[in-house]
Amino acid sequence: MHPIVEKVKLSEKACLLKIKAEHISRAMPGQFVMLQHRETSEPVPLSILEVSEGYFTCFVKGVGKSTLELIEEAENLFYVAGPLGKPFPLGHYRKVAFYTHSWGIAPALNVAKALKAQGKELLLFHTSEDFYLQEEAGRVFDEVIHDGELRALHVDLVASAGSNRLSKRLTSIYSQKPVISMVNTHMLDAVGLCLVCRVLVEGKQRLACTDGPWFEAHLVDWANLIERESAYEEQEKLALEEYRKALRRKSLKA
Ligand SMILES: Cc1cc2nc3c(=O)[nH]c(=O)nc-3n(C[C@H](O)[C@H](O)[C@H](O)COP(=O)(O)OP(=O)(O)OC[C@H]3O[C@@H](n4cnc5c(N)ncnc54)[C@H](O)[C@@H]3O)c2cc1C
Ligand code: FES
């Protein structure tokens, strides 16, 4: 059991969780964890926002049953696996632009802090209406743009997180520049066995959990990933409806 030592609600649908878990302290920039609330809950991949001695913090945006369960109910976690995935390739770039959508701000901040420590110039282009952790972004990035209309910036490296559609669009906007993107896939075991997180990179099957989650975006088959996003839509809708009903019953009893 891993206690959640602090839960900061940022809205009805988003929160920060500070979790006691010694083994995550060694995480590198851009890695993620799998969190499981109860033994019967689905494991959820979440980016590591920050680590401190014996603890780490992550940001949760509620989109379905498992993320809402973490926001609404979790006080302890049955299981915390990680740190997982390959770290972000920091490289020798001078000026970096991070494009983010929704929860993509969390991995972007985590990586940006490491890039800032190397003296890089950092721009943030946040594209979705929900813009959490704005103040922190203002402290870490040299310039912050919040706009739904994508445009190109003069930088050496482009990075993106939070949306496969966004990453796909960036490959056309920046056809001549390196773009490193976090692929967004469903995940189950996160150790390379279930193949749920498979991604086609240069026509070859790769796994987001062990080979990723960061890939050179021009090499990724985004259309395939986007098509598979809705593979479990019906089951996810049903799970969310059932969960909302259970929450209502619980509040009536209280
Ligand atoms: C490497 C990685 C890092 C992530 N980091 C964060 C983070 O820091 N904070 C955060 O809030 N979220 C993060 N996510 C996304 C988060 O894992 C999903 O939102 C979560 O698993 C959804 O579970 P759910 O049961 O709440 O929703 P579900 O019921 O599973 O899904 C609800 C809706 O979201 C879509 N969806 C769910 N998961 C994904 C997915 N991974 N890719 C594309 N569409 C999906 C479904 O198709 C459905 O429309 C990350 C995902 C990955 C792969
Ligand atoms: S989550 Fe199962 S192989 Fe990646």
Side-chain angles (χ1 to χ4, degrees), residues 220-234:
V220 172
D221 184 340
W222 293 106
N224 177 277
L225 270 184
I226 291 165
E227 195 187 309
R228 281 168 34 220
E229 276 176 10
S230 52
Y232 307 102
E233 210 168 64
E234 280 310 306

Side-chain angles (χ1 to χ4, degrees), residues 75-231:
E75 288 173 8
N76 290 289
L77 298 171
F78 171 71
Y79 188 59
V80 176
L84 297 165
K86 294 210 174 1
F88 183 91
L90 298 176
H92 300 288
Y93 302 98
R94 202 179 52 80
K95 199 169 174 184
V96 180
F98 244 106
Y99 285 74
T100 53
H101 183 92
S102 183
W103 56 262
I105 188 65
L109 273 168
N110 181 255
V111 171
K113 282 180 195 162
L115 292 169
K116 198 180 166 87
Q118 296 184 336
K120 313 246 157 107
E121 194 177 339
L122 300 171
L123 310 182
L124 174 70
F125 199 118
H126 190 75
T127 59
S128 59
E129 259 181 51
D130 59 341
F131 190 3
Y132 294 97
L133 309 175
Q134 241 181 95
E135 266 184 35
E136 195 175 351
R139 284 194 294 271
V140 175
F141 288 89
D142 298 294
E143 188 183 345
V144 175
I145 302 165
H146 187 197
D147 197 342
E149 291 290 315
L150 284 188
R151 60 181 184 276
L153 302 168
H154 294 288
V155 289
D156 310 310
L157 174 71
V158 179
S160 66
S163 158
N164 293 330
R165 283 182 170 74
L166 168 64
S167 302
K168 181 173 188 276
R169 287 190 59 204
L170 289 173
T171 58
S172 339
I173 294 175
Y174 290 103
S175 58
Q176 304 299 322
K177 282 224 163 94
V179 179
I180 296 175
S181 300
M182 177 185 260
V183 295
N184 189 13
T185 62
H186 292 92
M187 287 190 185
L188 259 185
D189 62 4
V191 293
L193 293 175
C194 71
L195 308 188
V196 163
C197 69
R198 64 199 179 278
V199 185
L200 286 173
V201 181
E202 281 188 294
K204 296 198 180 88
Q205 182 177 289
R206 295 276 180 262
L207 299 174
C209 65
T210 51
D211 303 317
W214 303 96
F215 292 99
E216 165 46 67
H218 294 98
L219 307 179
V220 172
D221 184 340
W222 293 106
N224 177 277
L225 270 184
I226 291 165
E227 195 187 309
R228 281 168 34 220
E229 276 176 10
S230 52

